[in-house]
Amino acid sequence: MKKLVIAGGTGFLGDACIAYFQSQFEEIVVFTRRKSQTAHTITYCHWDAKTIDTWADHLNHCDVLINMVGRSVDCRYTAKNKDIILNSRVDTTLLLGKAVSMATNPPKIWLNSSTATIYRHSLNKEMDEHTGEIGHGFSVEVAKAWESAFFSTNTPNTRKVALRTSIVLGENGGAFRPIKNLAKVGFGGKQGPGNQKFSWIHIKDFVRSVDFILKKTSLEGPINIVAPKPTTNRVLMRSLRSVMKIPFGIPLPTFFLEIGARIIQTETELILKSRNVIPGKLMDAGFTYRYPTLSTALQSLV
């Protein structure tokens, strides 16, 4: 393949994709709000993510488009922040859809970020793409609107995949650093009840799964980007302490988490929601994981 375009490719996952795919594409273009420049064979193209401009020309004769634009949900859910979280996802997806539909030679495949949070809180039922039950609440409504904007655009010549991604564990960003830091300072016990399910994927399996989807032309629609088996918060923290050789961790009860979340301006949903998600489509298509278990993933990261 010759050309890859990544919208919002300057974050944790974008950096990982660039590093992984740099040897597979002749050209990589990143849409960014920063100034346009070329660095290490990567073209950074400025856009305002609001209007069709010269950036849309890059979608012509483009093999792959990956959209990763979206305001972080690691904040308080005030009315203002809710609007920003929702609009940053929906408006940008609609804008890209308009640009793709206008292209004379549109991307062969468009991967759009989504989230495994779209499924309901579940302690028992495992959620795959076929039988998973969509939940309720602000985060779910954002996910539904995001995917609706993505699939509603008429782009008949472009294969579409919504990446319902779980929590990605990596050394250079995401959720792993704060979890590890909690364990370091002694708060490596369970968080809240501890039985809430924790769906995750190693950063290397995240980029490998994206690569697999690009090459497996039969895959389309929503796809869960998660490890084969969810764990629980209690097991996650115990396993992390074991790998880090920390004998004990103070648990953090729910009321303490609520206080802490207000202090650091975030929401407890990120920790307390039970995400019980499995990769039905990836497994059925034959994807093999480099880090299929939590213990192997943590050992590679610590």
Side-chain angles (χ1 to χ4, degrees):
M1 291 180 284
K2 292 183 178 181
K3 187 174 182 180
L4 165 64
V5 174
I6 305 177
T10 56
F12 169 49
L13 298 183
D15 287 344
C17 285
I18 290 171
Y20 182 86
F21 287 112
Q22 197 162 0
S23 63
Q24 298 189 35
F25 288 86
E26 295 178 12
E27 183 181 6
I28 295 180
V29 178
V30 177
F31 294 160
T32 175
R33 291 180 184 272
R34 304 172 190 175
K35 67 178 183 179
S36 296
Q37 61 175 317
T38 298
H40 306 292
T41 72
I42 310 300
T43 299
Y44 292 89
C45 176
H46 173 77
W47 74 331
D48 63 4
K50 295 179 181 178
T51 54
I52 299 289
D53 205 337
T54 54
W55 58 264
D57 295 339
H58 285 289
L59 298 180
N60 263 317
H61 303 285
C62 162
D63 294 286
V64 179
L65 168 64
I66 303 177
N67 177 27
M68 294 183 165
V69 177
R71 158 72 185 268
S72 172
V73 296
D74 188 8
C75 62
R76 294 298 291 177
Y77 289 166
T78 62
K80 178 181 178 181
N81 285 341
K82 283 182 175 181
D83 285 343
I84 295 173
I85 289 170
L86 176 64
N87 295 335
S88 66
R89 287 159 172 75
V90 172
D91 292 351
T92 306
T93 300
L94 290 172
L95 180 67
L96 285 170
K98 182 178 179 182
V100 169
S101 66
M102 292 169 57
T104 54
N105 291 282
K108 296 179 178 66
I109 178 171
W110 175 6
L111 307 184
N112 208 69
S113 292
S114 183
T115 173
T117 300
I118 197 169
Y119 300 107
R120 69 169 175 83
H121 177 100
S122 173
L123 297 174
N124 301 311
K125 178 180 172 60
E126 293 182 334
M127 306 290 180
D128 66 10
E129 299 91 341
H130 303 293
T131 63
E133 299 170 5
I134 306 302
H136 302 281
F138 169 67
S139 296
V140 172
E141 294 307 313
V142 169
K144 288 163 60 178
W146 201 1
E147 290 193 5
S148 176
F150 177 49
F151 289 117
S152 65
T153 307
N154 184 28
T155 54
N157 297 314
T158 301
R159 177 164 60 103
K160 289 181 175 180
V161 173
L163 303 173
R164 289 182 176 174
T165 307
S166 62
I167 294 173
V168 181
L169 301 179
E171 296 175 86
N172 299 320
F176 182 66
R177 279 182 177 177
I179 293 173
K180 185 172 73 170
N181 289 338
L182 278 176
K184 277 184 177 180
V185 298
F187 291 101
K190 67 176 183 177
Q191 297 159 339
N195 65 340
Q196 66 270 33
K197 294 291 185 178
F198 180 79
S199 290
W200 58 277
I201 190 168
H202 192 287
I203 183 64
K204 290 184 178 178
D205 279 331
F206 169 81
V207 291
R208 290 179 63 251
S209 66
V210 170
D211 190 19
F212 181 82
I213 290 168
L214 296 184
K215 294 169 180 174
K216 196 79 171 179
T217 57
S218 60
L219 288 174
E220 60 182 3
I223 297 181
N224 296 340
I225 310 298
V226 297
K229 196 70 178 175
T231 185
T232 64
N233 176 269
R234 180 185 289 106
V235 171
L236 165 68
M237 301 310 295
R238 185 173 65 224
S239 300
L240 182 58
R241 294 198 312 270
S242 175
V243 172
M244 295 178 67
K245 303 188 185 307
I246 298 174
F248 177 75
I250 299 171
L252 296 173
T254 300
F255 79 90
F256 190 87
L257 292 174
E258 294 284 358
I259 295 172
R262 289 184 176 276
I263 293 173
I264 64 173
Q265 292 295 292
T266 189
E267 293 286 341
T268 57
E269 178 195 39
L270 302 175
I271 296 173
L272 298 179
K273 180 171 181 177
S274 186
R275 296 169 175 84
N276 197 358
V277 184
I278 58 173
K281 286 186 177 180
L282 281 180
M283 295 292 284
D284 289 345
F287 179 68
T288 57
Y289 289 81
R290 186 168 294 171
Y291 300 99
T293 65
L294 183 64
S295 60
T296 58
L298 294 177
Q299 287 166 10
S300 78
L301 295 172
V302 173

